Amino acid sequence: MKRRGYLIGAVAAGALLFSLNTNVQAATVPISDNATSYVRKGNQYRFYFKAPTRLTVATKAKYKILNTSNWECIPYKGKNKNTKVFYLRSGHYNLTTKSGKNVKIKTSATRITKIRNKLETFSHKTYPLETRFTSAIPIKIGQTVTGMTDMYHTEKLNTMNRYKFTLNKDQKVTMNMSVQPVYENSRSNIFNNNDIQIVQDTDYGYALNPWKTKGTLKNGKYSWNLEKGTYYLEKGSARGRFSFKLTSEDTNALPSTPKLTKVSSTEDGIKVDYTKADNATGYGIYAIRKES
């Protein structure tokens, strides 16, 4: 009887030791995207979205949401300091917290496809599948344009949005843009950078100095001095939400036209001498292709 009692005691002690070790180890816990749950330090709480989703998180806990590449997702401001909103592509995401004890967290998820018309100025069907100048979307000076870039399976990687606008006279055109990418800047620069380019509608496709933005941007501004005519505005492919508006004002700072003083042939091509132009920041030589 003593031996049997001893063996039972040993098994019970081993079970208790195993139970203590199990509680210490970190766990991956599935969490509902539409519920109130509790989170604590040491665990990973996993979400899965079949489609692009707007996720609202309300909690007093300090936390991070990361994708499967461990890129931290950037939160948008919510209705108060304890509420954050994330715009996420489809896939798996992990939430981790620094809180040492259980903290309540409330989550609410909505597929972006259900609210897309509220988030984008133009229907996604309006954007051409091929980014050609002939299929650019017409916009007007003073119009606010909102949208989302590279968030859907129907979009190709590094999607370029292209718009078209016309000036009836020489103007200084200013672009005010806000961008909210999906991921942190340090890990995913290729998905957070925007190259904004304005190209004049001419036979030689003259492109002006580009505006390059990186990461999160709020009310960033950049200006171009443009002569009367039609222009194409190309927006880069940072993943996430964006908003921009073009405004214009009269200007006297348009570059003057340089005069060619001499054109001569060389072994390497053509040498061109010209006079300096007022207000010019650079020069370029363009060949106009004429139809035979």
Side-chain angles (χ1 to χ4, degrees):
M1 293 297 292
K2 291 183 179 180
R3 179 179 298 177
R4 179 177 299 176
Y6 175 79
L7 290 176
I8 293 174
V11 172
L16 177 61
L17 179 62
F18 177 80
S19 176
L20 291 174
N21 288 339
T22 302
N23 288 336
V24 173
Q25 294 175 351
T28 299
V29 182
I31 188 172
S32 173
D33 53 24
N34 275 292
T36 298
S37 310
Y38 288 85
V39 296
R40 60 170 297 165
K41 182 179 180 180
N43 292 338
Q44 287 188 348
Y45 299 89
R46 173 160 291 189
F47 298 98
Y48 174 69
F49 303 113
K50 293 182 179 180
T53 298
R54 181 179 69 183
L55 176 68
T56 301
V57 179
T59 182
K60 293 182 178 180
K62 294 182 178 179
Y63 65 93
K64 292 181 179 180
I65 295 180
L66 303 98
N67 69 357
T68 52
S69 298
N70 286 327
W71 294 350
E72 184 180 348
C73 301
I74 299 177
Y76 292 57
K77 291 183 179 181
K79 60 182 179 180
N80 56 55
K81 66 178 182 178
N82 294 326
T83 302
K84 303 295 182 184
V85 180
F86 298 83
Y87 288 87
L88 305 175
R89 305 177 86 236
S90 60
H92 291 277
Y93 294 88
N94 293 322
L95 183 149
T96 60
T97 178
K98 294 182 178 180
S99 298
K101 58 182 180 180
N102 288 342
V103 179
K104 184 168 68 174
I105 182 171
K106 184 177 181 180
T107 55
S108 176
T110 303
R111 286 195 178 188
I112 294 177
T113 51
K114 294 183 178 180
I115 56 175
R116 194 166 183 177
N117 291 337
K118 297 180 181 179
L119 301 175
E120 299 188 80
T121 301
F122 300 104
S123 166
H124 65 282
K125 296 180 180 179
T126 304
Y127 285 95
L129 296 177
E130 298 181 4
T131 53
R132 297 177 297 179
F133 286 107
T134 55
S135 54
I137 298 176
I139 60 174
K140 297 179 180 180
I141 298 296
Q143 178 182 8
T144 298
V145 178
T146 60
M148 307 192 74
T149 307
D150 202 16
M151 293 287 289
Y152 308 96
H153 291 301
T154 54
E155 295 177 339
K156 297 179 180 179
L157 188 64
N158 297 326
T159 301
M160 176 75 72
N161 292 341
R162 184 168 283 152
Y163 307 88
K164 181 180 181 179
F165 65 94
T166 299
L167 298 176
N168 296 324
K169 59 180 179 178
D170 298 349
Q171 295 273 276
K172 176 183 178 181
V173 175
T174 299
M175 183 177 188
N176 185 323
M177 185 174 70
S178 297
V179 178
Q180 184 73 43
V182 177
Y183 305 119
E184 62 178 322
N185 300 332
S186 60
R187 295 286 186 91
S188 56
N189 285 335
I190 59 174
F191 300 123
N192 286 348
N193 296 343
N194 269 295
D195 289 340
I196 311 300
Q197 183 74 70
I198 286 185
V199 180
Q200 189 173 11
D201 185 10
T202 63
D203 292 336
Y204 45 86
Y206 178 74
L208 289 90
N209 291 336
W211 178 26
K212 298 180 181 292
T213 72
K214 181 178 180 180
T216 303
L217 180 71
K218 184 177 181 180
N219 295 326
K221 293 183 179 181
Y222 194 85
S223 297
W224 297 268
N225 290 301
L226 307 178
E227 62 183 356
K228 175 182 177 181
T230 297
Y231 294 85
Y232 298 99
L233 171 66
E234 300 176 337
K235 181 196 166 297
S237 56
R239 286 178 176 172
R241 293 195 63 183
F242 67 88
S243 174
F244 73 84
K245 181 170 69 172
L246 299 180
T247 57
S248 64
E249 58 185 291
D250 293 341
T251 181
N252 294 319
L254 287 173
S256 59
T257 302
K259 294 181 180 180
L260 299 182
T261 58
K262 184 179 179 181
V263 179
S264 56
S265 298
T266 67
E267 293 181 356
D268 298 323
I270 297 176
K271 179 182 178 182
V272 178
D273 296 332
Y274 54 89
T275 60
K276 291 184 177 180
D278 294 336
N279 300 316
T281 58
Y283 300 88
I285 300 175
Y286 300 86
I288 300 176
R289 179 179 298 176
K290 294 183 178 180
E291 299 294 335
S292 57

